[in-house]
Amino acid sequence: MMSKYPLLGMTLIELQSLVKRLGMPGFAAKQIASWLYDKKVTSIDEMTNLSLKYRELLKQNYEVGAEAPVEEMRSVDGTVKYLYPVGENHFVESVYIPDDERATLCISSQVGCKMNCKFCMTGKQGYSANLTAHQIINQIHSLPERDKLTNVVMMGMGEPLDNLEEVLKALDILTGSYGYAWSPKRITVSTVGLRKGLRRFIEESDCHLAISLHSPVTAQRAELMPAEKAFSITEMVELLKNYDFSKQRRLSFEYIVFKGLNDSQVYAKELLKLLRGLDCRINLIRFHSIPGVALEGADMDTMTRFRDYLTTHGLFTTIRASRGEDIFAACGMLSTAKQEENNKS
């Protein structure tokens, strides 16, 4: 029996093309979009302003395609990690992070990752597949706390710019008036920086941009992040200077502080030199150790000194609060465990 195609993850243009193909009236596309993204239904039968005839027609080859998470891990601090099935024996993680007035969901864009950053558990999995817009949007649609969400960050498994077509489709659904109608200011996309993808993302989306930096020294960054060899951080900064980040849109740089590696004032000075002239901020991140990697996180005193040095020299810097440490906080650990468990059985 052929599996049905999911409606979830279709843009308005795709829905318009679908209803035309099925001989349904043009306005049905907006009705379907409203059921999917505003009323968040889980079945075609719930789309009650479509005639029974059209619902039956849709059901022949299509379904909503909502898939609930198969596993969850809850932290003592309220953070919840969810595991979503995406195809045959593949899983991705999403992390729900409640924090006072805000509730952020960290979502994935690929199964595994090609970037192979030294400090990343997902990179150790290697790359398996790109997620479709359906699989990206489902992480939000099928989230138990969906209605509490204020922000989405694409900082989970995978490199978003390596799956740009599907990521842009998902962002269109999240920000389009026919979709979730969110302000782009509620969404941040994180990337190691891929030359072609970066330019396109900046020009075709208004969402915030976060660059994984982790070292201002080219040779050291290349050791931590092989992607540096293809598109260096200095070239990236030159490209970013062509765009205006002084208004609504935020540019930030993620910087994991490793003990004895990139945590001294020498590196803070190099950061100031590298980012001079860019309207941006730095997020300092504590490192969660992962199996088989000999890197350690810097202590809080070192991070505080690092932050204060940058801030007093005019670079707005924050230390990101560490969350979910008791539930395999590093992305990729839960899905790796699940995949291995399924391979054994």
Side-chain angles (χ1 to χ4, degrees), residues 45-237:
D45 287 326
E46 294 171 76
M47 301 181 179
T48 49
N49 61 355
L50 295 180
S51 71
L52 189 58
K53 175 187 151 191
Y54 289 139
R55 274 180 273 162
E56 290 304 320
L57 188 61
L58 266 180
K59 279 160 60 179
Q60 284 174 18
N61 291 310
Y62 295 90
E63 61 186 0
V64 168
E67 285 194 87
V70 291
E71 212 167 290
E72 62 181 63
M73 295 181 84
R74 291 183 175 269
S75 167
V76 290
D77 65 17
T79 301
V80 192
K81 175 172 276 199
Y82 290 104
L83 195 66
Y84 285 93
V86 284
E88 193 72 23
N89 195 28
H90 287 320
F91 302 90
V92 292
E93 296 165 34
S94 302
V95 184
Y96 174 72
I97 309 159
D99 186 19
D100 297 332
E101 304 297 298
R102 286 165 66 95
T104 302
L105 184 68
C106 179
I107 62 174
S108 296
S109 57
Q110 292 180 314
V111 183
C113 187
K114 297 175 195 167
M115 300 302 121
N116 198 23
C117 296
K118 190 175 179 179
F119 47 83
C120 175
M121 191 68 196
T122 303
K124 307 279 169 273
Q125 281 185 17
Y127 166 80
S128 295
N130 278 334
L131 295 191
T132 60
H134 160 239
Q135 291 163 336
I136 295 170
I137 289 293
N138 181 61
Q139 294 169 69
I140 300 162
H141 182 96
S142 297
L143 180 78
E145 298 87 353
R146 179 186 64 206
D147 295 332
K148 296 176 185 168
L149 276 188
T150 61
N151 297 79
V152 162
V153 293
M154 211 170 269
M155 292 181 184
M157 297 170 64
E159 164 51 59
L161 301 193
D162 190 39
N163 184 20
L164 192 57
E165 293 300 335
E166 297 301 309
V167 163
L168 287 173
K169 271 171 61 175
L171 294 177
D172 187 57
I173 291 162
L174 281 169
T175 58
S177 57
Y178 70 89
Y180 286 73
W182 276 28
S183 160
K185 290 187 291 181
R186 295 170 65 179
I187 304 161
T188 302
V189 173
S190 172
T191 175
V192 301
L194 303 181
R195 190 191 308 267
K196 201 170 97 188
L198 185 62
R199 189 186 294 275
R200 230 189 110 191
F201 169 75
I202 295 170
E203 290 174 3
E204 292 183 30
S205 165
D206 293 320
C207 297
H208 294 320
L209 174 63
I211 306 278
S212 293
L213 175 54
H214 312 311
S215 177
V217 178
T218 305
Q220 188 186 59
R221 187 173 188 262
E223 206 173 292
L224 290 168
M225 308 170 70
E228 165 72 20
K229 299 182 186 95
F231 185 32
S232 76
I233 190 65
T234 47
E235 291 177 283
M236 210 181 306
V237 166

